[in-house]
Amino acid sequence: GEDVEQSLFLSVREGDSSVINCTYTDSSSTYLYWYKQEPGAGLQLLTYIFSNMDMKQDQRLTVLLNKKDKHLSLRIADTQTGDSAIYFCAERKGGSYIPTFGRGTSLIVHP
Amino acid sequence: ETGVTQTPRHLVMGMTNKKSLKCEQHLGHNAMYWYKQSAKKPLELMFVYSLEERVENNSVPSRFSPECPNSSHLFLHLHTLQPEDSALYLCASSQAGPVQGAGDEQFFGPGTRLTVL
């Protein structure tokens, strides 16, 4: 399997919460990132979490990390149509500056 | 200009053409990257230049040739491409070196949409 796995699609109603999940394989990962890609644009860093943290909250975004299961999630509260984009999970291993990306999850927000 | 810029934004070329993609970063970073983004595939790292050292993915065909004349500029020279090379080519930069924190995250340009006929 791939080093970083994500489901390809998620559809939610405007105003609901979105939860995007990611699993990774390397327990030596030090940083885990969430990037957002809007149509016609490059990837933009949304948030990150260090491996010694379990949770990080930043306004509408909540990142949860389960190191035992190597599972990372991104929760977007009160999802808006402007949140429609592709969300990439990425990990960076200790001693390396090059991250490994997942395939990306397309989030579709409908009225 | 701020951040990472890429030109051209769109490129259509025939299989016998030679063209170049350009990337420029204005962030003072010391590492630059080329990625290929194809539909339904993971983001593919093609080349990395860091501290004047080049790291490459051995599966990248020789018809792609990178050039990094300095830490702010990165080129991808293209020749005799195939239709399957059609994709979005993304450039990124970061501050590489000893791990100092999540500030090592990558900053991406908007990409060049390449179509090979």
Side-chain angles (χ1 to χ4, degrees):
Chain A
E2 295 172 359
D3 291 343
V4 180
E5 293 193 350
Q6 305 175 237
S7 54
L8 293 181
F9 298 99
L10 176 65
S11 178
V12 300
R13 187 172 297 179
E14 191 175 13
D16 288 350
S17 293
S18 308
V19 180
I20 303 172
N21 295 301
C22 170
T23 57
Y24 58 98
T25 57
D26 195 328
S27 56
S28 72
S29 296
T30 53
Y31 285 97
L32 296 125
Y33 304 88
W34 284 105
Y35 282 83
K36 177 183 180 182
Q37 184 180 31
E38 296 182 349
L43 280 68
Q44 179 185 12
L45 180 70
L46 268 184
T47 187
Y48 65 91
I49 189 167
F50 188 47
S51 59
N52 69 352
M53 300 167 65
D54 297 324
M55 185 182 85
K56 181 177 180 181
Q57 189 152 4
D58 184 1
Q59 298 182 332
R60 292 191 297 122
L61 305 178
T62 303
V63 178
L64 294 177
L65 176 61
N66 182 329
K67 289 184 288 295
K68 175 177 173 292
D69 295 338
K70 300 188 188 69
H71 181 267
L72 182 74
S73 68
L74 173 69
R75 178 177 180 270
I76 306 173
D78 187 25
T79 312
Q80 303 298 307
T81 54
D83 295 322
S84 293
I86 303 175
Y87 291 81
F88 289 88
C89 171
E91 61 159 355
R92 178 157 66 81
K93 299 175 179 55
S96 171
Y97 57 87
I98 302 175
T100 302
F101 287 86
R103 291 186 177 220
T105 299
S106 290
L107 174 64
I108 301 164
V109 182
H110 54 90
Chain B
E1 291 278 13
T2 58
V4 181
T5 57
Q6 290 187 242
T7 54
R9 293 294 310 276
H10 300 272
L11 178 63
V12 179
M13 58 187 290
M15 289 191 284
T16 58
N17 292 157
K18 290 184 180 181
K19 296 286 184 182
S20 295
L21 309 184
K22 179 182 176 183
C23 175
E24 186 173 357
Q25 60 96 0
H26 310 269
L27 300 167
H29 290 159
N30 62 4
M32 297 187 76
Y33 312 74
W34 279 118
Y35 286 90
K36 177 183 178 182
Q37 186 178 26
S38 304
K40 300 179 183 178
K41 288 186 179 180
L43 205 57
E44 179 187 354
L45 178 64
M46 302 175 72
F47 301 101
V48 181
Y49 277 87
S50 172
L51 303 170
E52 300 181 6
E53 177 190 36
R54 172 173 146 182
V55 176
E56 58 191 275
N57 180 343
N58 290 328
S59 67
V60 176
S62 60
R63 54 186 183 267
F64 294 93
S65 173
E67 179 190 359
C68 189
N70 55 61
S71 60
S72 299
H73 295 85
L74 184 65
F75 295 90
L76 187 62
H77 303 300
L78 317 171
H79 63 97
T80 59
L81 293 192
Q82 303 298 309
E84 60 264 30
D85 297 321
S86 298
L88 182 68
Y89 289 83
L90 292 165
C91 174
S93 70
S94 73
Q95 187 63 22
V99 173
Q100 297 187 17
D104 296 348
E105 73 265 22
Q106 295 181 319
F107 290 77
F108 284 80
T112 295
R113 174 67 64 186
L114 173 67
T115 303
V116 181
L117 301 177

